């Protein structure tokens, strides 16, 4: 294990923001992770775990030990006629896992194709797309505690998964580094194609009884047409969460914005489309100096040529103010912001 001092992170975050980590280490195994955590404790350093940096805003230098989790591994740990349990290491690429599981005949992840980032980062924000959330497949999340390098195993219910949320964004924020996930996948196809964009794509392409591969291909096509590729247009996916409202809040928004796209939730609340609100406020495709709002999807902020994450946050603040004036709703930033302390 080699600890690097003053490591530039610009190539290690999908928004391509400039930030220097006081200390940085790449870990390829649990043993290396233990060594890194011990180094952090001995040097009284705050620990920040980083995967592919696809859901972070680095708004300044990081006075911390940044641990890049690169540990690889996929293992079948249980199997019966109908299901399979996979243990997948945190450093694996998410989309590669989706492709591989489909090729093995392990179904369920196809709606989550093409989401940037690592397996270890996936449970933190409970990645979700096209009507499916990661939480439906998680049996447990394994991690090491930062304070003692103690092995932790959290069941799905202990992870407190919710829309773009988990215990790793709350009580356990920065308290542990995720090492692997146990995922339960099905050997029988069980396609989920009710999400409006997905349903209409399949209809337009005359796919009446979609297979998991059809879903995978459709999701890849939809995402590629609407969301910018971080490799060519730096971004962090959706920059804001869709607000989830109780009945009174929803009624009051409807008075101001009667045609807002909305989705009833299982708990009786209603999720409303933040991208629509941002578009109504005239921000879609807007460019402010070196940062802007994507022209195909107003929920995505893009970095044209900016080193400073604070500029992007200033744009996000302006957008939040417009949306508040228009609808009375307070948008919440989705990616994790580091470097403002
Ligand atoms: N909309 C607009 N204008 C826009 C964007 C969206 O009016 O510029 C409207 C759409 O017409 C639609 C509604 O908003 O009626 C929802 O749009 P979409 O289906 O694109 O989904 P989203 O709610 O904007 C969420 C996730 C995405 C995920 C898609 C598909 C969040 C914060 N974002 O976006 O996730 O891919 O659903 O399931 O929940 C991400 O988290 O980085 C991400 C890309």
């Amino acid at each position: 294990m080699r600890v690097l001092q003053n490591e530039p992170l610009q190539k290690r975050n999908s928004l391509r923001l400039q930030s220097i980590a006081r200390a940085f280490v790449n870990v390829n195994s649990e043993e290396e992770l233990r060594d890194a955590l011990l180094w952090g404790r001995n040097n009284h350093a705050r620990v920040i775990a980083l995967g592919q940096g696809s859901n972070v805003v680095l708004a300044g230098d990081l006075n911390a030990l940044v641990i890049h989790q690169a540990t690889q591994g996929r293992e079948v740990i249980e199997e019966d006629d109908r299901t399979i349990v996979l243990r997948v290491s945190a450093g694996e690429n998410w989309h590669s896992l989706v492709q591989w599981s489909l090729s093995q005949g392990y179904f369920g992840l196809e709606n989550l194709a093409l989401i940037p980032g690592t397996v270890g980062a996936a449970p933190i924000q409970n990645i979700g797309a096209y009507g499916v959330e990661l939480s439906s497949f998680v049996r447990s999340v394994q991690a090491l505690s930062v304070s003692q390098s103690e092995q932790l195993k959290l069941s799905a219910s202990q992870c407190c998964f919710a829309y773009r949320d988990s215990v790793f964004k709350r009580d356990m924020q920065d308290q542990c580094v995720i090492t692997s996930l146990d995922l339960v996948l099905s050997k029988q196809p069980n396609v989920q194609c009710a999400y409006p964009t997905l349903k209409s794509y399949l209809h337009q392409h005359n796919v009446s009884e979609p297979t998991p591969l059809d879903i995978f291909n459709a999701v890849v096509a939809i995402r590629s047409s609407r969301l910018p590729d971080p490799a060519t247009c730096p971004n962090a996916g959706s920059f804001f969460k869709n607000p989830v409202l109780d009945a009174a809040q929803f009624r009051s928004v409807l008075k101001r914005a009667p045609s807002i796209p909305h989705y009833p939730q299982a708990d009786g609340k209603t999720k409303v489309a933040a991208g629509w609100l941002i578009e109504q406020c005239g921000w879609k495709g807007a460019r402010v100096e070196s940062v802007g709002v994507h022209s195909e999807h107003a929920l995505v902020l893009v970095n044209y040529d900016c080193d400073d994450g604070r500029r992007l946050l200033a744009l996000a603040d302006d957008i939040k103010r417009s949306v508040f004036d228009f609808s009375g709703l307070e948008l919440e930033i989705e990616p994790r912001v580091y470097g403002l302390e």
Side-chain angles (χ1 to χ4, degrees), residues 129-130 163-164 195 226 238 240 242 263 273 279 284 297-298:
Y130 303 99
Y163 165 63
R164 290 293 189 276
Y195 193 83
R226 292 201 71 207
S238 299
F240 301 98
N242 287 321
Y263 311 90
E279 182 171 349
K284 192 168 179 171
H297 207 297

Side-chain angles (χ1 to χ4, degrees), residues 197-311:
T197 337
L198 182 56
K199 200 170 162 181
S200 68
Y201 180 95
L202 293 166
H203 183 70
Q204 275 164 26
H205 290 79
N206 297 318
V207 184
S208 52
E209 284 181 32
T211 64
L213 184 61
D214 292 328
I215 301 287
F216 174 91
N217 289 334
V219 168
V220 167
I222 298 167
R223 287 190 76 102
S224 308
S225 70
R226 292 201 71 207
L227 296 169
D229 178 356
T232 50
C233 177
N235 73 87
S238 299
F239 208 84
F240 301 98
K241 283 190 189 184
N242 287 321
V244 180
L245 309 177
D246 64 29
Q249 290 169 316
F250 181 51
R251 270 196 306 276
S252 117
V253 170
L254 271 186
K255 278 190 202 141
R256 295 193 191 198
S259 52
I260 189 167
H262 57 275
Y263 311 90
Q265 303 297 289
D267 60 2
K269 292 187 173 177
T270 305
K271 195 196 274 182
V272 296
W276 184 89
L277 286 166
I278 297 168
E279 182 171 349
Q280 297 306 302
C281 294
W283 284 105
K284 192 168 179 171
R287 180 169 173 162
V288 183
E289 294 166 14
S290 48
V291 292
V293 180
H294 188 50
S295 55
E296 299 301 314
H297 207 297
L299 212 43
V300 181
L301 301 195
V302 291
N303 177 10
Y304 292 109
D305 185 23
C306 171
D307 288 337
D308 184 356
R310 283 167 299 193
R311 288 230 175 117

